[in-house]
Amino acid sequence: MILTVCLSPCIDVNIEVDSLAVGKSHKIISKRIFFTGKALNVAIGLAHLKSDVFATGFMYEGNGNQFEIELHREGVPYKFVWNEGRVRENYKFIDMKSMLTEIDDVSPEVDENNREELITLVKQFTQKCEAVVVSGSLARGMTPDYYARILNAVPATVKKVVDTEDDRLTEALKCGVDLIKPNLEELERTLKRKIKSKEELIAGCKELLNKGAKRILLSLGKQGAIITDGNKTYYCKSVNVAMNSTVGAGDGMVAAATNALVKGGDLKEILRCGVAAGTAAVTSPHSISFSKEKYEEILSALTVQEI
């Protein structure tokens, strides 16, 4: 079984407008609402790949019931730690120039008893797991070391996959992590410097490997991704597809990469699977994940080269 741990669920409200100007009135062309959260998206992707998956994490009483409906529909079993308040709402405005403007909310506070309860659940569930995925931001008032607290509850035999950035990622790496998946901007924010060349990119990855990562799957957006363990580095170029939504693309990549990792896939296989799922996810405008059929179609067209 693969356990996914969602520390900060959210409702993504994607709004398309003809233009966007401060202080002006706008009419909505289209509006899509996704009940999401990085680890929940990963769980749904794993379910689409027919993996044995279970979701846990924090949820909020005010509007969390819709997440239960979505997970039931996707066939993902779950158990949440429930909190007072409402799930945060993120707004993404897209204008006719394809410019994206984002306004992100912060999750309500989680008291210490509930934080401990989630750690206890993770400790319980991971006794029967092959891998655990922890990803996303943290609720208001929580410190980055909560990532380490979660991962320290996981047995050494369970593979650890982390998708976060900055101090949260640094704290996670102290526990030893089998796979991390930053994108280029997240890598820069974690290292606190700009990356201007391929050589600097590889050096940045090696810096995180030295801090505790065993493998780094670095997303390059529509250009594909690279993966490295410090000894071998591979690149996979994505195929050209119609991009309908970027919601959940990185989480699809994590889902397929984790699935390949659990099945014993080598670096090249983990990379190919991750790129295939991330690419498949952007073709679906009405879902936060990807279809298995589209994933398999793209996977068959991908090649990997050593760099």
Side-chain angles (χ1 to χ4, degrees), residues 1-7 39 42-43 46 52-57 118-119 121-135 147 150-163 175-180 254 258-259 261-262:
M1 183 176 78
I2 299 172
L3 178 70
T4 70
V5 184
C6 183
L7 302 177
V42 172
L46 286 164
D52 181 13
V53 61
F54 192 92
T56 191
L118 181 58
I119 291 170
L121 284 180
V122 169
K123 187 178 298 184
Q124 172 190 333
F125 292 140
T126 51
Q127 299 302 313
K128 302 176 289 185
C129 282
E130 296 173 275
V132 60
V133 178
V134 190
S135 60
Y147 258 83
I150 286 284
L151 293 172
N152 280 330
V154 178
T157 55
V158 176
K159 296 186 184 303
K160 303 179 184 74
V161 179
V162 170
D163 184 14
C175 305
V177 179
D178 292 273
L179 178 68
I180 61 173
V254 172
T258 302
N259 187 58
L261 177 67
V262 166

Side-chain angles (χ1 to χ4, degrees), residues 21 23 25-26 54 62 71 90 97 115 164 221 228 245 248 266 293 298:
S25 296
H26 302 84
F54 192 92
L71 291 174
N90 297 332
K97 297 179 181 178
R115 298 180 197 183
T164 190
T228 183
S245 172
D266 60 13
E293 294 74 21
I298 294 172

Side-chain angles (χ1 to χ4, degrees), residues 13-34:
V13 184
N14 289 12
I15 299 173
E16 185 181 359
V17 293
D18 55 356
S19 63
L20 190 63
V22 176
K24 302 292 184 180
S25 296
H26 302 84
K27 288 187 177 181
I28 294 175
I29 297 173
S30 68
K31 179 180 178 181
R32 297 195 295 267
I33 300 175
F34 300 98

Side-chain angles (χ1 to χ4, degrees), residues 184 188 193-202:
L184 182 56
E188 289 178 332
R193 65 175 184 267
K194 284 289 184 182
I195 292 174
K196 301 176 181 178
S197 67
K198 183 177 73 174
E199 290 73 23
E200 290 183 0
L201 187 151
I202 299 299

